[in-house]
Amino acid sequence: MTRIQSVRTFDVRFPTHETLAGSDAMNPDPDYSAAYLRLDTEIGSGHGFTFTIGRGNDIQVAAIEAVARLIADADVDGLLADMGDTWRRLVHDSQLRWLGPEKGVVHMAIGAVVNALWDLRAKRAGQPLWLHLAGLSPDELVSLVDFRYLTDALTPDEALDILKTAEPTRSERIAALQAEGYPGYTTGPGWLGYSDELLDRLCREAVQDGFQQVKLKVGADLDSDKRRLKIARAAVGDDIRIAVDANQRWDVGTAIDWIRALEPYDLAWVEEPTSPDDILGHATIARAVAPIKVATGEHAANRVIFKQLLQAEALGVVQIDATRVAGVNENIAILLLASKFGVPVAPHGGGVGLCQAVRHLAFFDYAAVSRQLDGRMIEYVDHLHENFVEPLEFRRGRYVAPHTPGASTEMRAESLERYRFHG
Amino acid sequence: MTRIQSVRTFDVRFPTHETLAGSDAMNPDPDYSAAYLRLDTEIGSGHGFTFTIGRGNDIQVAAIEAVARLIADADVDGLLADMGDTWRRLVHDSQLRWLGPEKGVVHMAIGAVVNALWDLRAKRAGQPLWLHLAGLSPDELVSLVDFRYLTDALTPDEALDILKTAEPTRSERIAALQAEGYPGYTTGPGWLGYSDELLDRLCREAVQDGFQQVKLKVGADLDSDKRRLKIARAAVGDDIRIAVDANQRWDVGTAIDWIRALEPYDLAWVEEPTSPDDILGHATIARAVAPIKVATGEHAANRVIFKQLLQAEALGVVQIDATRVAGVNENIAILLLASKFGVPVAPHGGGVGLCQAVRHLAFFDYAAVSRQLDGRMIEYVDHLHENFVEPLEFRRGRYVAPHTPGASTEMRAESLERYRFHG
């Protein structure tokens, strides 16, 4: 029996409010933070975290500790050998489930624990996580997914079909990913707290750096949004896509009016127009602003929300997040749902380590699930990666394929110490 | 300036798993618990709590402490004078909001703090909470509600109209409530872990006690459900309503098949057939099983979920919960939504103190919002009320109108001490 030797948690907070990087219409002064977990076992260490924006990171740490207690005495080999069962054991714990169910602090804490176990499992396999997942059989992958509440939209057999269709050509796509990487887009120029001059300069730099899409935060003031979009469009030219992100600022009616007013600037998508819980609202907005696409997902609580957004034809872009849902397993469910409904996935990046972690899921998606790159990009924010032991590599607008074993979620000991929060 | 002198929290857990009272298809062994808050100020004390079922109650306590820190230095008179602003101050805190948004542990913690402030305010007014709320003007009541994300279904003007329509006749309904109380229904006979003999006996006692409706837990085994419903129907006769509660056990397709198989037993409603997040799923089920009504709400995370359940015509019964959403203010929003859509409200009771707290909202609803009693009942579970300083009174199947000042949420010091959880 292989034991967990220690569970260590860290409340890590970076004082990002000082620079206004990360500022948007709903989050004026975030302190990018991680509720971080290190699992030490006899066969190695696994690292996972939840991204938060400051206050409350201590609550998230308490939740991770509570979830980790559920597996304190478990056999690590057993946990890793059947990660589908491990996921259900954590998510279906009836007492903890009451605190969601399957949403918010507890669900994200399960994600941190599940992701730490995947980090450990991929390291033991000697593979980067995406390649490890892309090497599992369709049956193994289906066994990772909890189909509870999904079967009216996606059955295990349908999921198996999607994976089997992709299987014969996986190796070609893996080779392409290793040679060419995966496209990214940048949110760097568009933070709401930035001056017009900085916006202009960063947009021009983004084009020079090879980006095919930039994203601007909007939603605080319509005239200001128009002015900033005009600056951005002039800076990037007609061939580079511009997306906008309202960070849940609007009611349904306001969203429709506001987005229509921004139509002249040729928007690639509008992100988080309203409450992430409002499936019917997103559907109403999507119908009203077509052909502009609606995107959401970084705050979508679980696979049941994604299922409905897809059933309601509310989404043109599915934005998975590495630490919002209950980890790798649930994101595989969401990738399968997106593939079933034929909607492209453009993962949420930024924060602390989200780009590090989520790119594994996008690489896996292309290799083993969707087989598509059209309209797909991973958000890229060049920020805080230096705090990770193996910072991501990014070249000419593209993510380089991760090539070291694990999930790329281990933070540097110096960073954990330096930015550790002491009340 | 009136200060908060101390914020004290208690992790209180009752060993209810020993009796299987509270057992259902998803929650086999709950330990009914309260993450409890006592706010002491220069003008008195306020008491609030979140109900949980055991593990994780410590996380909930940590969250309540984090939320209470947001008002640690505030002027209590100011907080109480504008409870709408106080609610927004807590719910819109951008950093804590990230951990939901507006759902799960943090949102419930805000509920505990908001409810403690309402307890204090009602005590200072010398009135039971329901009567205090029923004495506010329509404008004051509208100011308590955050209409963000609601305006596509309910505008402030529409809410004002509902309240103004009820205003001239409030006093008649208040007098009726004080004279006759408000109907309850009982879940006491129907816990899943009870024997057939106990079910039969408790059903007969319920009729003798004056109840017009009983509720049975279902969803673990169809044959067993049929057998138990047959016993219950024989015990209560044809004139007493029987509702069933699946506690989220089913997928959409299973729910439809299962409920149809139970049709011969003449069901008043089917409660929580599937995931509380699945608005579209509830709508599909409701269409398929009509005229049996679908009920849900005790796990509905916030007003945005209720809004959509009503927009989608998914609900025949709205089940508000005193500690799931962000307190009294958000429940007023939900009562207004239910009234707008013409759907009856039957509050969720049970747990620890839920009946104590939620009856104030039902009494207020009848007096000042819906003006209706048809098909409306508050769930009644005769359990753990003795741990409260002012236990509710219940006679002949009806809740007696609360008549002492406050929200009835104060627990006895002996109970807090005796059932305090020590890791």
Side-chain angles (χ1 to χ4, degrees):
Chain A
M1 177 159 165
T2 308
R3 296 208 174 272
I4 294 175
Q5 296 168 314
S6 73
V7 172
R8 283 190 282 165
T9 57
F10 300 83
D11 181 342
V12 187
R13 308 193 194 189
F14 300 91
T16 50
H17 73 271
E18 294 169 4
T19 64
L20 295 186
S23 56
D24 63 49
M26 292 288 277
N27 307 294
D29 57 353
D31 281 329
Y32 280 1
S33 303
Y36 185 82
L37 166 72
R38 178 187 174 114
L39 279 181
D40 290 315
T41 78
E42 292 166 5
I43 55 167
S45 298
H47 306 262
F49 60 88
T50 307
F51 167 59
T52 85
I53 64 171
R55 276 186 295 284
N57 204 46
D58 49 330
I59 307 171
Q60 193 60 46
V61 167
I64 290 171
E65 290 170 355
V67 171
R69 280 197 289 276
L70 298 178
I71 54 166
D73 300 320
D75 173 32
V76 177
D77 291 320
L79 292 175
L80 298 184
D82 189 348
M83 283 294 289
D85 185 66
T86 300
W87 192 90
R88 282 182 282 271
R89 176 173 172 174
L90 299 176
V91 175
H92 294 188
D93 179 86
S94 64
Q95 296 189 355
L96 282 182
R97 186 179 184 279
W98 190 269
L99 298 174
E102 300 193 32
K103 58 177 68 68
V105 166
V106 170
H107 206 55
M108 295 192 287
I110 292 170
V113 173
V114 165
N115 287 348
L117 290 169
W118 276 110
D119 180 42
L120 175 58
R121 178 167 145 159
K123 278 177 183 154
R124 191 164 64 157
Q127 292 178 303
L129 177 62
W130 72 275
L131 197 59
H132 178 61
L133 294 172
L136 301 182
S137 74
D139 283 308
E140 282 175 282
L141 288 167
V142 166
S143 79
L144 298 174
V145 172
D146 184 4
F147 287 88
R148 173 173 275 182
Y149 305 140
L150 294 188
T151 54
D152 56 323
L154 178 74
T155 65
D157 282 347
E158 289 172 323
L160 200 60
D161 281 348
I162 291 168
L163 294 163
K164 282 188 170 170
T165 301
E167 194 180 21
T169 49
R170 275 188 196 175
S171 58
E172 298 161 23
R173 287 184 300 279
I174 289 171
L177 286 165
Q178 288 170 326
E180 299 156 26
Y182 195 109
Y185 74 89
T186 178
T187 309
W191 299 111
L192 211 55
Y194 282 5
S195 69
D196 290 353
E197 292 68 28
L198 189 55
L199 169 66
D200 178 65
R201 177 164 68 77
L202 293 175
C203 279
R204 290 174 195 277
E205 288 178 10
V207 178
Q208 287 161 14
D209 290 343
F211 284 103
Q212 297 298 308
Q213 178 172 315
V214 299
K215 191 167 79 185
L216 268 63
K217 299 293 184 177
V218 296
D221 178 81
L222 181 56
D223 287 335
S224 165
D225 287 347
K226 289 180 182 172
R227 189 187 72 249
R228 293 169 63 249
L229 276 167
K230 200 170 167 185
I231 292 167
R233 180 52 75 200
V236 302
D238 289 342
D239 296 338
I240 304 296
R241 290 181 297 268
I242 300 179
V244 297
D245 183 356
N247 291 88
Q248 313 168 26
R249 181 61 182 259
W250 302 315
D251 279 26
V252 173
T254 313
I256 292 168
D257 294 342
W258 201 300
I259 297 163
R260 283 180 174 160
L262 300 182
E263 246 176 355
Y265 305 97
D266 188 15
L267 304 183
W269 72 59
V270 58
E271 184 170 327
E272 293 207 300
T274 191
S275 163
D277 299 333
D278 199 347
I279 290 121
L280 300 179
H282 279 86
T284 301
I285 295 166
R287 283 191 299 271
V289 306
I292 297 174
K293 288 180 174 179
V294 169
T296 200
E298 69 181 77
H299 274 90
N302 56 46
R303 68 201 179 286
V304 180
I305 300 293
F306 279 103
K307 176 189 79 167
Q308 294 175 83
L309 287 164
L310 290 163
Q311 287 174 317
E313 300 180 8
L315 284 194
V317 180
V318 168
Q319 300 184 298
I320 58 170
D321 182 282
T323 80
R324 176 68 57 185
V325 300
V328 167
N329 300 53
E330 188 158 11
N331 269 316
I332 293 174
I334 296 163
L335 294 174
L336 287 163
L337 282 164
S339 180
K340 162 83 188 283
F341 285 87
V343 177
V345 174
H348 175 232
V352 177
L354 296 180
C355 300
Q356 292 278 127
V358 84
R359 62 198 167 127
H360 286 275
L361 297 165
F363 277 75
F364 160 72
D365 178 61
Y366 178 54
V369 185
S370 73
R371 301 171 288 130
Q372 310 291 326
L373 280 182
D374 279 11
R376 283 151 212 261
M377 289 159 287
I378 308 166
E379 185 169 23
Y380 178 67
V381 185
D382 184 14
H383 196 200
L384 301 174
H385 301 130
E386 67 279 10
N387 297 291
F388 286 81
V389 171
E390 289 157 336
L392 62 84
E393 296 169 73
F394 196 86
R395 288 189 210 123
R396 296 297 305 156
R398 297 178 81 89
Y399 279 84
V400 175
H403 47 80
T404 55
S408 314
T409 43
E410 183 174 355
M411 289 182 76
R412 296 173 66 230
E414 301 87 326
S415 297
L416 291 176
E417 195 49 47
R418 178 169 173 196
Y419 294 104
R420 194 160 189 169
F421 184 71
H422 299 282
Chain B
M1 176 160 166
T2 308
R3 297 206 173 274
I4 294 175
Q5 295 167 316
S6 74
V7 172
R8 283 191 283 166
T9 57
F10 301 81
D11 180 343
V12 187
R13 307 193 194 189
F14 300 90
T16 50
H17 74 270
E18 294 169 3
T19 63
L20 296 184
S23 56
D24 63 50
M26 292 289 276
N27 307 294
D29 57 351
D31 280 329
Y32 282 181
S33 304
Y36 185 83
L37 166 72
R38 178 188 174 112
L39 279 180
D40 290 315
T41 79
E42 294 166 5
I43 55 167
S45 299
H47 305 262
F49 60 88
T50 307
F51 167 59
T52 85
I53 63 170
R55 277 186 295 286
N57 204 46
D58 49 330
I59 307 171
Q60 194 59 46
V61 167
I64 290 172
E65 290 171 355
V67 171
R69 281 197 289 276
L70 297 178
I71 53 166
D73 299 321
D75 174 31
V76 175
D77 291 321
L79 292 174
L80 297 185
D82 189 348
M83 282 295 289
D85 185 66
T86 300
W87 192 89
R88 283 182 283 271
R89 177 173 173 176
L90 299 177
V91 175
H92 294 188
D93 180 86
S94 64
Q95 296 189 353
L96 282 182
R97 187 179 185 280
W98 190 270
L99 298 173
E102 301 194 31
K103 59 177 66 69
V105 166
V106 170
H107 206 55
M108 294 191 287
I110 292 170
V113 174
V114 165
N115 286 348
L117 290 170
W118 276 110
D119 181 43
L120 175 57
R121 178 167 145 159
K123 279 178 184 156
R124 191 165 62 159
Q127 292 177 302
L129 176 62
W130 72 275
L131 198 57
H132 178 61
L133 293 171
L136 301 181
S137 75
D139 282 309
E140 282 175 283
L141 288 167
V142 166
S143 80
L144 297 174
V145 172
D146 185 4
F147 286 88
R148 172 172 276 182
Y149 305 141
L150 293 189
T151 55
D152 57 323
L154 179 74
T155 65
D157 282 347
E158 290 172 323
L160 200 60
D161 281 348
I162 291 168
L163 294 162
K164 282 187 171 168
T165 301
E167 194 180 20
T169 48
R170 275 187 195 175
S171 57
E172 298 161 24
R173 287 185 299 278
I174 289 171
L177 286 166
Q178 288 171 327
E180 298 156 28
Y182 194 108
Y185 74 89
T186 178
T187 308
W191 299 110
L192 211 55
Y194 282 5
S195 69
D196 290 353
E197 292 67 29
L198 189 54
L199 169 67
D200 178 66
R201 178 165 65 80
L202 294 175
C203 279
R204 291 174 195 279
E205 288 178 9
V207 178
Q208 287 160 17
D209 289 344
F211 284 104
Q212 297 298 309
Q213 178 172 316
V214 300
K215 190 167 78 185
L216 268 62
K217 300 292 183 177
V218 297
D221 178 81
L222 181 56
D223 287 335
S224 165
D225 289 346
K226 288 180 182 173
R227 189 188 71 249
R228 293 168 63 251
L229 276 166
K230 200 171 166 184
I231 292 168
R233 179 54 74 200
V236 302
D238 289 342
D239 295 338
I240 303 295
R241 289 180 299 267
I242 301 180
V244 297
D245 182 356
N247 291 88
Q248 313 168 25
R249 180 62 182 257
W250 302 315
D251 279 26
V252 173
T254 313
I256 292 169
D257 295 341
W258 201 300
I259 298 163
R260 283 180 175 161
L262 300 182
E263 246 175 354
Y265 304 97
D266 187 15
L267 304 183
W269 71 61
V270 56
E271 184 171 326
E272 292 206 300
T274 190
S275 163
D277 299 333
D278 199 346
I279 291 122
L280 300 179
H282 278 86
T284 301
I285 295 166
R287 281 191 300 272
V289 306
I292 296 175
K293 289 181 174 182
V294 170
T296 199
E298 69 181 75
H299 274 91
N302 55 46
R303 69 201 179 285
V304 179
I305 301 293
F306 280 103
K307 176 189 79 167
Q308 294 175 84
L309 288 165
L310 291 163
Q311 288 174 315
E313 301 180 7
L315 285 195
V317 179
V318 168
Q319 299 184 298
I320 58 169
D321 182 283
T323 82
R324 175 68 56 184
V325 299
V328 167
N329 300 54
E330 189 158 10
N331 269 318
I332 293 173
I334 297 163
L335 294 174
L336 287 163
L337 282 164
S339 179
K340 162 83 187 284
F341 284 87
V343 176
V345 174
H348 174 231
V352 177
L354 296 179
C355 300
Q356 292 277 127
V358 84
R359 63 198 166 126
H360 286 275
L361 296 165
F363 277 76
F364 160 73
D365 178 60
Y366 177 56
V369 184
S370 73
R371 301 171 289 132
Q372 309 292 326
L373 279 184
D374 279 9
R376 283 151 213 261
M377 288 157 287
I378 308 166
E379 185 170 20
Y380 178 67
V381 185
D382 183 16
H383 196 201
L384 301 175
H385 301 130
E386 66 280 10
N387 296 290
F388 287 80
V389 171
E390 289 157 338
L392 63 82
E393 295 169 72
F394 194 87
R395 284 189 214 126
R396 293 297 307 156
R398 298 177 81 90
Y399 280 84
V400 175
H403 47 82
T404 55
S408 316
T409 44
E410 182 175 356
M411 288 182 75
R412 296 174 65 231
E414 300 87 326
S415 298
L416 291 175
E417 196 49 48
R418 177 166 174 199
Y419 294 104
R420 195 161 187 168
F421 184 71
H422 300 281

